[in-house]
Amino acid sequence: MKKIITAMLVMAMGVAAATFTSCTKDVDEIAADIDTGISSGDHGNSRNGVLKLTCTSNNPYTVTITNTSTNDSRDYVLQGKETRSFTVACDVNYDIYYSQNSGYLLYPTTGTKHQYVSCGSTYSISFPN
């Protein structure tokens, strides 16, 4: 029962946030951001850090950001040539896994990058180079 009430409260906060801002996130994405501490958007301050990811390919990629301390992860799709910033907890190591969604002949391009994020800092990561 407590989980249902918590889920309903998180969804209500997500609906309110989506209603009163120009954010294009859906309720499920907002709830997942709250659970993992990873959120899309450049909101860095001294209590968190920012991962700025750039897809250098013309093709879309699915990116998984994993907090290695808690093993929480979040999936995002970056379109070709897109750059997006993610606010994350600081003083944590992150694994960034990327996988090409389309535009390949036999196998998609995949890879993993590792980044330590310190408080108040922004880290730019490009892929698939």
Side-chain angles (χ1 to χ4, degrees):
M1 184 68 170
K2 188 175 180 180
K3 286 184 179 183
I4 293 172
I5 292 172
T6 302
M8 289 173 49
L9 184 59
V10 169
M11 289 180 66
M13 289 185 331
V15 170
T19 302
F20 296 113
T21 66
S22 62
C23 185
T24 59
K25 292 183 181 183
D26 63 18
V27 174
D28 292 336
E29 189 173 348
I30 292 168
D33 289 348
I34 293 168
D35 291 342
T36 62
I38 301 170
S39 64
S40 180
D42 189 354
H43 303 92
N45 62 40
S46 61
R47 293 177 307 199
N48 52 39
V50 176
L51 289 172
K52 186 176 180 181
L53 303 183
T54 300
C55 177
T56 59
S57 171
N58 289 323
N59 300 303
Y61 277 74
T62 296
V63 178
T64 303
I65 302 172
T66 303
N67 177 327
T68 60
S69 297
T70 62
N71 215 24
D72 289 331
S73 64
R74 185 79 174 102
D75 293 332
Y76 298 92
V77 174
L78 269 68
Q79 299 302 318
K81 305 295 182 187
E82 181 180 2
T83 298
R84 194 182 309 176
S85 295
F86 301 91
T87 302
V88 296
C90 60
D91 293 331
V92 174
N93 285 302
Y94 288 90
D95 288 335
I96 298 102
Y97 172 78
Y98 55 89
S99 178
Q100 187 175 359
N101 293 347
S102 63
Y104 54 88
L105 292 177
L106 297 176
Y107 302 103
T109 299
T110 62
T112 303
K113 305 256 184 174
H114 307 282
Q115 182 64 57
Y116 174 80
V117 176
S118 60
C119 294
S121 298
T122 299
Y123 300 90
S124 297
I125 298 170
S126 298
F127 62 89
N129 7 337

